[in-house]
Amino acid sequence: MLKKLTIAGLASVSMLVAAQGFAQERGGVVNVATIGELTTLDPMTATGDLLGMVTQHFFETLYTFDKDWNVAPLLAEALPEVSADGKVHTIKLRQGIVFHDGSAMTAEDVVASLKRWLEVASRGKLVAANLDKLEAVDDYTVQITLKQPFAPLTALLAFNNSAAVVLPSEKIAETLADYVGTGPYMIKERKADQYLQLVRFDGYKAREGEPDGFGGARKQYLDEIRFVPVPDANTRVEGAIAGQYDYADLLPVEAFDRLNGQAKTEPLVLKSFGWPMFIMNNKEGMMTKPGLRKAVQSALNAEDMMAAAFGKPEFFALDGALYPDGYQWRSDAGIEGYNQADPEKAKTLATEAGYDGKPVRILTSRQYEFHYKMAQVAAEYLKAAGLAVQLDVVDWATLVQRRAEPALWDIFITHSPFLPDPALIAPLPSSYPGWWASEAKDKLVVALNTEMDPQKRVAIFADIQKLIYEEAPFYKVGDFNALSAKSPKLAGFTPSAWPYFWNAYIAK
């Protein structure tokens, strides 16, 4: 949660509060070092935290999340009016919203955008099968009629990942050619592998009131935001120390001591940031055999992987539950399958599954250094269980491309923040790479999504978590805190899983 993301080191809460005392003047350029180049700027057609982080500055959705992860209106005027049977969602739109090309946003644009989202976005497809009707009631009212109730609809419409962004209807195409949104910043120039330059959109109409997480007012203090792909994590660290980057994303945790005490940067520790996972290929190759997936689950030592990836114990926690303490979704169902570290059991399971000696191809990237370190440790435990291993280390953009091809890998490594609704968890839909298709899973997910009683949904999710350990489509490694760095002059910045730079300004 945003409210759970606390700050340590020099960037203490008191310093952030004190920073609010600086004059919030317009002006200045912020350079943001990201983990690498984006393969696309279309947030509908791809998933990934980096994509959502960048594109949320120029594309917007009907809804977003406040600081407590409650759904909040963004381009919508308010939360939907929902019929008594839970099937009809009536959405009033804000008036006076203008796209970056100067055209006015109306219900026609929203309907066209949502139709594209339903067709091409992995999370849109979760809604598509349940859609009865999508229509514009008038110029500023959209109505979504479902075949049956669907509890996570507004959360899906709010998510910036596989996002239901609103585009001008005349710009919509199977492959976007123009990235025209309604956001506070707009694209000025993109140079591949160098930068994506965003500039203030003077026609932006912010919501009234104060900022509230991703919701509330989005204030445009900065003239320009430059997202700079810096694949090497140590280069991001050194660039932050030199003052080259005002914000450097996802740094190796061992860099904390080096960042601490610097004049031009300071460390940010985002606690309860998220969880790394090993996604197994359920569609093609050796991991289609449940016994081999269970063998991997039995072999892995989560403690050693987390220690190798994050070093200091204060940066990680061993936890097999998909949500940590403090979340309503927390459950211990099935977690006896977590952190078994039993190579002999794994060897037996692999033999029973007919393992033929071919290498387990683990796809990972050093742009997320903790992914790579976990892969190294995992390889040793799998070898101890009698499995051959092939580490395929590529840049993140290549990994995103390769993971879409089931013939190219057996396991890939990724991570996720803790999300407000389990329906948003990436590997649950069978359309996500990993392609977990299970009759039992499908029944439980349908039950989760159609149940409107919150407590009953919690119980259903516990059954889903138990099934994850039974079928082993992916493996949660643990919980982790993330390290980033920011300039002391960057004020008004709120740490989050997807850093955003509206509301931020340069302290004079």
Side-chain angles (χ1 to χ4, degrees), residues 199-212:
V199 294
R200 184 191 299 113
F201 172 45
D202 290 331
Y204 184 66
K205 183 178 181 181
R207 296 191 70 90
E208 296 182 357
E210 293 302 312
D212 184 8

Side-chain angles (χ1 to χ4, degrees), residues 294-318:
K294 296 285 282 187
V296 171
Q297 180 189 72
S298 300
L300 294 180
N301 185 314
E303 183 172 8
D304 282 359
M305 287 191 289
M306 294 297 282
F310 300 104
K312 298 178 180 180
E314 57 264 35
F315 278 99
F316 68 90
L318 296 178

Side-chain angles (χ1 to χ4, degrees), residues 184-198:
Y185 291 85
M186 57 190 289
I187 297 173
K188 181 176 181 180
E189 184 178 26
R190 184 187 187 190
K191 288 192 174 182
D193 298 314
Q194 294 185 49
Y195 59 81
L196 175 68
Q197 180 187 21
L198 306 184

Side-chain angles (χ1 to χ4, degrees), residues 12 29 174 201 250 315 373 395 401 497 505:
S12 64
V29 177
E174 183 176 349
F201 172 45
L250 290 177
F315 278 99
K373 291 179 177 179
D395 63 84
Q401 291 174 331
Y505 57 95

Side-chain angles (χ1 to χ4, degrees), residues 15-30 221-222 246 266 486-493 503-508:
M15 287 189 69
L16 274 187
V17 172
Q20 306 307 315
F22 288 107
Q24 297 173 342
E25 297 179 5
R26 277 195 169 196
V29 177
V30 163
Y221 297 119
L222 299 171
D246 301 286
E266 56 194 20
K486 80 167 190 71
S487 166
K489 293 183 179 181
L490 183 63
F493 174 80
N503 301 333
Y505 57 95
I506 303 297
K508 305 296 184 183

Side-chain angles (χ1 to χ4, degrees), residues 44-55:
M44 284 194 193
T45 59
T47 60
D49 290 342
L50 176 59
L51 180 64
M53 166 189 163
V54 173
T55 59

